[in-house]
Amino acid sequence: MRVLCVSSGLCNRSSCPLANSRYATIREDKGRCYLYIKTAERAHAPKKMWQKIRLKRQYAAALAQIDEHLAYWPKFLVHKNKQRLTKITQYLIRMRKLQLKVKPKLVTMPARKEKMEKRKEAKAEAAAQLDKAIEKELLERLKNGTYGDIYNFPTLQYKNALSKEALTEDEKEIERDVMLEDEEFFVEDEDESDDDGDSVEWLDEADVPLSEDDMEDMATPSTSSSSESEEEEDDEEDHMGGAKQRLSSAEEQCLNLLLDQNRPFNVQNVADLLATRGVKKSQADKALASLAGQGQIVCKEFGKTKIYFATQEDRATLSDEELKDKVSRIEGLKKDVAGMAEAVGALQQEYKRLKSSKTLDEMEQEYSALQREAEELDGKLAVLRNGEVKQISPAEIKEVEKSIDSCLSAWKSRKRSFKNVWDTVSENLNGNQKDLFESIGIEEDEEDVAVLEKTVKAFSKKRTRA
């Protein structure tokens, strides 16, 4: 049983609702205060033992209600209830004030996410340092002429990269002079052992306007890499040749399928039918699109769906007589199919009936079992007919039933009395009743009595039918 809150908050006899038959306390529920009163006059009805009175929202009016309902009560209880009402009213006011205040929203930062961000920053920093090192190394190789003249690069970006390097004071003065003259040259000779070495010169883009022919010359590769480019082109041609061959094979298979079936297909149907021949959906889509573009098949679009079918121009048209003959033939075949379906249904029903019926061996076994049961019943009936067993008269049966009913009614009355006493004693006890009965040593016979009642009812029904 749930015990109401103590009025004073202390655990002593004067403040305990269980130790006092006359008690009162204040409770708060959803912002409203209620006065609970317990009196000894309602002790016989535990369900209605506590009286609940809703107090007004105004503090002074609530105090007046307490004085009115606890007019002739001990001053200690009246004082403690007023104290409890004051305390509850104060914390309700504080709750309203806190709800009106703007509170900062606390956002949690997962430690796992922070670690991931730190690792990403470290990787990005390492990658940036690596990029700078690569750029520096490439500039050094460019200055040293490691790659010769096998590439063309933008002059402006190269000058910006050079300007970022640390320059000495003499180099700064030279740079100022060059900028005043609005010209800048940077010449680097190749290895002295090369007789055909050419000098490389970089000029400002504004000083040297390039034409379309010059741009084509810059785009052409040098003679030193001609062999490598030819090998790459050969590999690409071989790859493209294999792809074209596979595409042509897929086109041939798709075209043969459409001509043989002579009905509309979508890409998925064609891919499913040709999957065993190694044609994938992408290849089938490309092959059907190519055939439709060549005019060998017809493509119709219905929204996002594309339907492909063979052209009907080369097909011979049927005359009216031939068309009627084929239609009549189709109708005859349909009738034959319907008749065969009915025959199949009848055979299936006959098969189910025969399958559900018992076999000859099963019927013989059931007959023998019934025969044995009949012999046993005949033996019992013969014993009863000979008078070897003393039969019970109807008066004795009624007397036994009457005694059983009286015993059951006595058991029910005693059980009811025990339940009333037990409910009064165990009103404030906690725990399971069954466990408590086991610990005390109380035995229950409800299951046995239920079996007895069921047996008596069955016997009475059987006797009434007879």
Side-chain angles (χ1 to χ4, degrees), residues 234-375:
D234 294 339
D235 295 338
E236 291 178 359
E237 288 178 357
D238 296 338
H239 181 68
M240 292 298 292
K244 288 180 180 179
Q245 186 176 2
R246 289 193 296 271
L247 184 60
S248 62
S249 176
E251 290 179 1
E252 183 180 356
Q253 294 180 13
C254 293
L255 182 60
N256 293 334
L257 177 64
L258 293 177
L259 292 175
D260 294 340
Q261 299 289 336
N262 193 22
R263 67 181 184 86
F265 290 97
N266 59 8
V267 178
Q268 187 63 46
N269 299 141
V270 175
D272 294 339
L273 293 173
L274 299 179
T276 56
R277 303 180 186 178
V279 178
K280 299 180 180 179
K281 185 177 179 181
S282 58
Q283 295 176 354
D285 190 8
K286 292 179 181 178
L288 291 172
S290 177
L291 291 172
Q294 296 173 9
Q296 298 184 20
I297 60 175
V298 181
C299 176
K300 296 289 185 181
E301 294 185 4
F302 300 93
K304 295 183 179 180
T305 306
K306 293 182 179 181
I307 303 298
Y308 300 93
F309 55 90
T311 57
Q312 306 297 319
E313 296 176 356
D314 299 337
R315 302 275 178 176
T317 57
L318 298 175
S319 61
D320 295 339
E321 295 179 357
E322 293 176 346
L323 185 61
K324 290 179 180 179
D325 187 15
K326 288 186 177 295
V327 170
S328 62
R329 186 180 176 186
I330 289 170
E331 290 179 356
L333 292 174
K334 285 183 178 179
K335 291 180 180 179
D336 295 341
V337 170
M340 291 180 181
E342 291 179 359
V344 169
L347 291 174
Q348 286 180 350
Q349 291 180 359
E350 184 67 18
Y351 172 72
K352 289 180 180 179
R353 187 182 65 80
L354 293 174
K355 190 175 181 181
S356 60
S357 62
K358 296 181 179 180
T359 60
L360 184 60
D361 296 336
E362 292 176 352
M363 293 176 70
E364 288 179 354
Q365 292 177 1
E366 187 176 359
Y367 174 74
S368 60
L370 292 173
Q371 194 172 6
R372 286 194 299 270
E373 186 177 358
E375 291 176 356

Side-chain angles (χ1 to χ4, degrees), residues 378-391:
D378 289 338
K380 292 181 180 179
L381 184 60
V383 172
L384 293 173
R385 285 175 179 174
N386 294 331
E388 297 178 1
V389 179
K390 184 180 179 181
Q391 297 182 357

Side-chain angles (χ1 to χ4, degrees), residues 108-171:
T108 59
M109 290 295 293
R112 185 177 179 183
K113 190 174 181 181
E114 290 183 355
K115 290 180 181 179
M116 290 175 62
E117 290 179 354
K118 287 182 181 179
R119 286 198 294 269
K120 288 181 180 179
E121 289 177 1
K123 290 180 181 179
E125 187 176 356
Q129 293 177 358
L130 181 63
D131 293 340
K132 289 180 181 178
I134 292 172
E135 183 180 357
K136 187 175 181 181
E137 181 66 23
L138 291 175
L139 287 174
E140 290 295 333
R141 293 184 181 184
L142 180 61
K143 290 180 183 179
N144 298 330
T146 304
Y147 303 112
D149 57 346
I150 65 172
Y151 55 84
N152 297 315
F153 51 87
T155 309
L156 187 60
Q157 282 80 352
Y158 178 70
K159 289 196 300 181
N160 292 334
L162 289 179
S163 63
K164 293 179 182 178
E165 296 181 353
L167 301 176
T168 60
E169 295 180 358
D170 296 335
E171 289 174 344

Side-chain angles (χ1 to χ4, degrees), residues 7 13-25 36-43 49-50 68-78 81:
S7 61
R13 181 173 179 78
S14 60
S15 301
C16 181
L18 299 177
N20 295 278
S21 60
R22 191 181 188 190
Y23 192 78
T25 184
Y36 287 83
I37 300 175
K38 172 188 174 183
T39 58
E41 290 79 8
R42 292 190 296 270
M49 186 179 294
W50 290 89
E68 180 183 355
H69 290 285
L70 304 180
Y72 304 103
W73 284 59
K75 293 184 179 179
F76 173 78
L77 280 175
V78 177
N81 280 281

Side-chain angles (χ1 to χ4, degrees), residues 91-108:
Y91 81 65
L92 287 175
I93 293 170
R94 287 197 298 271
M95 284 172 58
R96 296 190 189 101
K97 288 182 178 179
L98 289 174
Q99 288 178 357
L100 294 174
K101 287 184 179 180
V102 179
K103 298 180 181 179
K105 186 178 180 180
L106 301 177
V107 181
T108 59

